[in-house]
Amino acid sequence: MLVGTASRAFTRLHACLPPSEPSRRSKSPMSAVITIANLRKRYSYAKRGRGLLGGFSPQHVSIDAVDGVSFEVGRGERVAVIGPNGAGKSTTLKILSGILEPTSGEASVLGLTPWRDRKALAYKIGVVFGQRSQLWGELPARDSFNQLRHIYDQDKAVFERRLGEMVERFALADLLDQPVHRMSLGQRMRCEITASLLHGPGLLFLDEPTIGLDVTAKAAIRDFIRDHARDHGQTVLLTSHDTRDIELVCDRVIVVNAGQVVVDQPTGQLRKRFLGRKVVTVLSAGPQIVVDLPGVTRRASEAHAVVLDVDTRLIRVEQVITAALAQGGVEDITIEDPPMEDVIHDIYASALAVR
Amino acid sequence: MIAFVRLYALQAAAAVRMSFADRANFALQVAGMFINNAVFLTLWVLFFAGFKSVGGWGFADLALLLGLMMTIVGLCGTVFGGYRDMAISVLRGELDALLTQPKGLISRLLARESLATSWGDLAGGIIVLGLFADLKLADLPLLLVALTAGLTVYLSAAISFASLAFWASGARSFARDLTDFTLLFSSYPGSIYEGAVKVIAYSILPAGFVVMAPVEMLREPGVRSVAVVISAACGYAALAAGFFHLGLKRYRRGASVA
C-alpha cells in the first residue's frame, strides 16, 4: 500500500520535471565500465476486458519500464540503483546483464553490448538474484561450485585458489559439503555470491542481495561485497530496498522512478541529508510516552504507541530510549530504518525543489 | 565438443545424484514404474495368446516397439529429465539465471533433473528388448541407431512442446499432455493407424518416428529405412532448436505470455 502510494506520488511529481538527464558524474570512456545512453524498455501486454466476452477482445497496453535512462559507472565504483517497486531497477539490471533486449538506446558493459554479446559478457560479469538460485538445491554447495568451474571454463588451480579465498573470507568451510536446501537463507546467499565470483568477474550485478535476511546475515553479506570489491578493484551495481545496503556497500546512488533517473549522487552526500534517520516505536501500557528532545519528531501515533523519527546526526538512539524508559510503563521498543519509499520520496522531493 | 559432453555428463550425473538423495522414494518410484510396465506387457501377452497378430504385427514386433519406447523414455528421463518441466522453467523465469552464464540453454535445461521413474522404464525396456523382441547380436548396431534416432525425435518433440511456453502460459500442462500423447501413440502397433491419425503420428505427435519407423528399420534393414530414421531425427532436432530459439528471442524481448 505504502509502495503504491509513494509510487503514485512520484509519478505526479515526475510530471512536473523535464526528461531525465544523463549522469553528471560522467567518466572518461577509458574508465567507464558501464555506459548507458537513452535506454528504453517498453513492455506490452494484453489486458482482458470485463465479462464473458472480454477475453475475446483484449486491449493492448504498453508500459515504459525503462524510459530514457542514461548513466556511466567507472571501474571500481560501487553503485546502488534504488527506487520503488516497478521503477525499472531490475529491468535495467536485466538489460545490462544480457538477459533482456532494450526497445531502444545504447549500452556498453565492459566494452560489449550486453544483448548482442551475451555469452562473451557472461565470462566477465557475476550476477546474483536475491530471489533466484544458481545452485543445485539437493546437492552440496561444493558440487555446484565445481560445475560452475566447467561452465566458465576455469583452470582448476585458479578456481581452487579463488574458492579457498572465498571459503576463508565467507566462513564457508562447514557449508561446502552441506546440501544447499538445508542451509539458512543467509548461508545460501553467501554461497550464491561465492558462486557468482568464482570465475573472477570484473563487474558484479546484485539484485536485492539481502532480501529476507536477518540482521547478522545482512551485515556479513554487506561486509563481504564491499571488502571483496575494494580489494579486487571490482565494480558493483546493486539494487536494494534496504537503505543500509546502500550506506554500507555503495559509494554512489542512482534513484530511478517511473523508468527514469531522478537523482545520481555520491552516497556521502545522500547520507548527510537523508540516510541519518531511525524510526523508534515505543509501546506503553498506560498513556502515550512523550519524548521531547532536539532531533526527535513525533509521527502520527496510536493510543498506546508512539512513533518517533530520530535524526541520528543530532541525537543518539540510545538517548531517546533512555528518555522513554525514564517515564516508566514501556512495554516494547522497536528500532527500524525508515522505509525506502520514505527515503526516496525525500530525495525526490528535494531534487524537485532544487530544480 | 568434448568440453560440451564433459559438462553435460557432469550436470546429468549431479541430477542423478539428486534423484538418489531420497533413497526410499527413489526405490518406490523405480519399482512402481517397473511393475506398471510389466502389467502393460502382460496384457499384451494375454492378448496375443488369443490373437496371433494385429495388422500383421506379432508379439515379438510389439515387444520390439514397447522395448524401444521404454528404453527411449527411460534414457530421456534419466539423462535428459529436465525436458519434463521445461515449460514450467520458462514460465517461472528460471532462464534468467541461465542467460547470465555462458553455456547453451537447452542442454542446461535438459540436464537439470533426472526422473527416478525412468530407471524403471529403462530396466523394463532393456529386459523386453533382450528377452522378447527376437533380436540377434547382429542387430545391435541398428538397434543403437534406432534408439539414438528415436530418443532424438522424442526429446525434440518434447522441447518443441515446451517452447510453447514462450507464447502461452497454458503450455505448463499442455506441453506435458502433448508429450504423453506421443507416448500413447507409440504404445500400439503402427499398422492400426490410418488416414489422418497416421498423418498426425508422423508429424505433430511423431510417434511414427520415435518407434514405428525404427521398428521397420530393424525388421527390414536397408539404406532407405536407415536414411528415413536418421533424416527424421535430424529434421526434428533442427525444428526443436529453431522453435526454442525463436521463443527465446521473444522471451529476451520481454514479450508477455498470454
Side-chain angles (χ1 to χ4, degrees):
Chain A
M1 185 64 195
L2 181 60
V3 171
T5 310
S7 192
R8 281 194 294 278
F10 296 158
T11 309
R12 282 198 298 277
L13 283 164
H14 224 289
C16 315
L17 285 173
S20 140
E21 61 187 81
S23 164
R24 295 180 200 97
R25 295 167 47 80
S26 355
K27 305 279 165 195
S28 69
M30 288 300 285
S31 65
V33 170
I34 300 173
T35 308
I36 305 178
N38 209 20
L39 203 66
R40 290 177 196 279
K41 180 71 204 173
R42 172 170 287 188
Y43 289 115
S44 299
Y45 65 95
K47 190 177 174 185
R48 291 195 175 126
R50 287 185 181 182
L52 193 62
L53 298 175
F56 295 100
S57 54
Q59 196 185 349
H60 291 277
V61 180
S62 295
I63 293 174
D64 290 316
V66 178
D67 189 11
V69 167
S70 303
F71 62 78
E72 287 186 2
V73 176
R75 193 169 301 280
E77 268 197 296
R78 298 187 300 276
V79 179
V81 179
I82 63 171
N85 288 338
K89 313 179 291 287
S90 294
T91 302
T92 305
L93 215 67
K94 283 183 178 182
I95 292 172
L96 293 178
S97 55
I99 296 170
L100 286 178
E101 293 175 11
T103 307
S104 65
E106 289 171 22
S108 169
V109 178
L110 294 162
L112 300 168
T113 305
W115 52 95
R116 287 194 204 108
D117 309 311
R118 180 180 67 81
K119 285 189 182 176
L121 182 66
Y123 285 101
K124 298 180 170 191
I125 62 169
V127 184
V128 177
F129 292 108
Q131 291 174 308
R132 293 203 202 291
S133 180
Q134 57 180 319
L135 305 171
W136 299 59
E138 307 287 329
L139 293 179
R142 188 192 296 278
D143 286 12
S144 290
F145 295 154
N146 193 36
Q147 286 197 30
L148 288 167
R149 175 171 86 79
H150 291 274
I151 287 169
Y152 286 97
D153 303 316
Q154 289 294 296
D155 175 74
K156 193 173 182 186
V158 176
F159 168 84
E160 293 291 350
R161 181 177 54 75
R162 284 202 189 112
L163 181 59
E165 186 195 336
M166 304 284 174
V167 167
E168 194 180 320
R169 277 198 173 202
F170 240 158
L172 295 178
D174 295 338
L175 299 178
L176 281 179
D177 297 310
Q178 195 174 313
V180 173
H181 74 98
R182 288 199 196 143
M183 293 180 187
S184 70
L185 198 56
Q187 290 171 332
R188 185 178 71 74
M189 187 48 69
R190 277 150 63 194
C191 289
E192 292 283 351
I193 293 173
T194 299
S196 71
L197 293 172
L198 284 173
H199 57 288
L203 171 61
L204 183 62
F205 291 115
L206 300 133
D207 191 14
E208 303 277 3
T210 59
I211 195 163
L213 303 185
D214 62 41
V215 178
T216 317
K218 279 183 180 182
I221 299 282
R222 286 168 188 147
D223 288 350
F224 180 81
I225 295 170
R226 185 193 54 236
D227 295 347
H228 185 274
R230 196 178 50 208
D231 296 350
H232 292 80
Q234 191 178 46
T235 310
V236 174
L237 190 73
L238 72 82
T239 71
S240 181
H241 264 77
D242 191 324
T243 50
R244 298 292 284 168
D245 287 353
I246 297 154
E247 280 187 88
L248 298 176
V249 177
C250 298
D251 40 35
R252 182 177 152 206
V253 180
I254 295 173
V255 182
V256 292
N257 184 58
Q260 301 186 332
V261 173
V262 178
V263 173
D264 183 349
Q265 276 187 350
T267 312
Q269 279 183 25
L270 240 72
R271 185 185 294 121
K272 279 183 199 154
R273 295 171 62 192
F274 305 105
L275 300 178
R277 285 167 50 204
K278 288 282 177 188
V279 177
V280 177
T281 307
V282 185
L283 296 180
S284 57
Q288 252 187 15
I289 300 290
V290 177
V291 179
D292 189 12
L293 293 168
V296 178
T297 316
R298 185 174 168 276
R299 282 193 186 185
S301 305
E302 293 170 15
H304 298 284
V306 63
V307 183
L308 306 168
D309 261 336
V310 180
D311 186 338
T312 53
R313 291 164 300 177
L314 301 175
I315 187 166
R316 292 202 312 274
V317 173
E318 182 191 343
Q319 291 173 279
V320 178
I321 293 171
T322 306
L325 290 172
Q327 294 185 35
V330 171
E331 289 205 323
D332 194 12
I333 294 181
T334 315
I335 308 165
E336 296 165 299
D337 289 312
M340 176 58 85
E341 282 69 23
D342 289 3
V343 175
I344 296 168
H345 186 273
D346 291 349
I347 293 169
Y348 192 75
S350 166
L352 187 66
V354 168
R355 293 181 195 195
Chain B
M1 188 63 189
I2 294 170
F4 172 80
V5 173
R6 192 191 299 145
L7 175 61
Y8 194 91
L10 196 76
Q11 292 176 102
V16 170
R17 282 203 300 282
M18 282 202 302
S19 75
F20 284 163
D22 185 346
R23 287 182 192 173
N25 180 50
F26 177 82
L28 271 175
Q29 291 201 52
V30 173
M33 185 50 75
F34 189 82
I35 291 167
N36 177 62
N37 289 337
V39 169
F40 191 59
L41 189 72
T42 307
L43 289 174
W44 278 111
V45 170
L46 294 173
F47 179 86
F48 276 101
F51 305 91
K52 291 297 168 202
S53 78
V54 178
W57 284 51
F59 176 69
D61 298 324
L62 188 82
L64 177 58
L65 179 131
L66 291 179
L68 281 176
M69 187 197 76
M70 287 181 205
T71 311
I72 287 167
V73 174
L75 283 170
C76 271
T78 50
V79 186
F80 308 98
Y83 81 92
R84 201 77 180 135
D85 283 336
M86 197 185 253
I88 294 172
S89 296
V90 170
L91 288 166
R92 281 186 188 151
E94 289 169 12
L95 290 186
D96 286 2
L98 298 181
L99 278 164
T100 64
Q101 295 173 355
K103 291 294 190 281
L105 289 177
I106 295 178
S107 60
R108 303 283 317 278
L109 285 167
L110 291 176
R112 279 159 78 106
E113 198 179 354
S114 176
L115 309 172
T117 52
S118 298
W119 290 101
D121 284 321
L122 189 57
I126 292 169
I127 290 170
V128 172
L129 286 176
L131 299 182
F132 306 110
D134 196 18
L135 290 171
K136 297 170 192 70
L137 201 59
D139 293 324
L140 192 60
L142 274 186
L143 178 64
L144 291 177
V145 172
L147 286 172
T148 309
L151 186 145
T152 305
V153 174
Y154 180 70
L155 208 52
S156 300
I159 292 168
S160 302
F161 300 150
S163 299
L164 291 171
F166 289 115
W167 284 271
S169 58
R172 185 187 297 261
S173 57
F174 190 54
R176 273 196 177 196
D177 291 343
L178 289 174
T179 311
D180 291 343
F181 271 132
T182 305
L183 265 189
L184 192 69
F185 270 61
S186 306
S187 312
Y188 294 93
S191 54
I192 67 170
Y193 300 126
E194 297 284 342
V197 179
K198 193 168 183 175
V199 171
I200 290 171
Y202 279 87
S203 55
I204 300 168
L205 305 173
F209 293 113
V210 175
V211 283
M212 291 166 204
V215 165
E216 204 179 308
M217 179 187 74
L218 279 159
R219 289 299 187 227
E220 292 170 24
V223 176
R224 189 186 152 277
S225 59
V226 173
V228 165
V229 166
I230 293 176
S231 305
C234 295
Y236 275 95
L239 269 177
F243 198 39
F244 180 87
H245 283 100
L246 199 67
L248 183 65
K249 223 171 166 180
R250 181 180 156 83
Y251 182 90
R252 294 185 66 206
R253 282 201 311 268
S256 71
V257 171

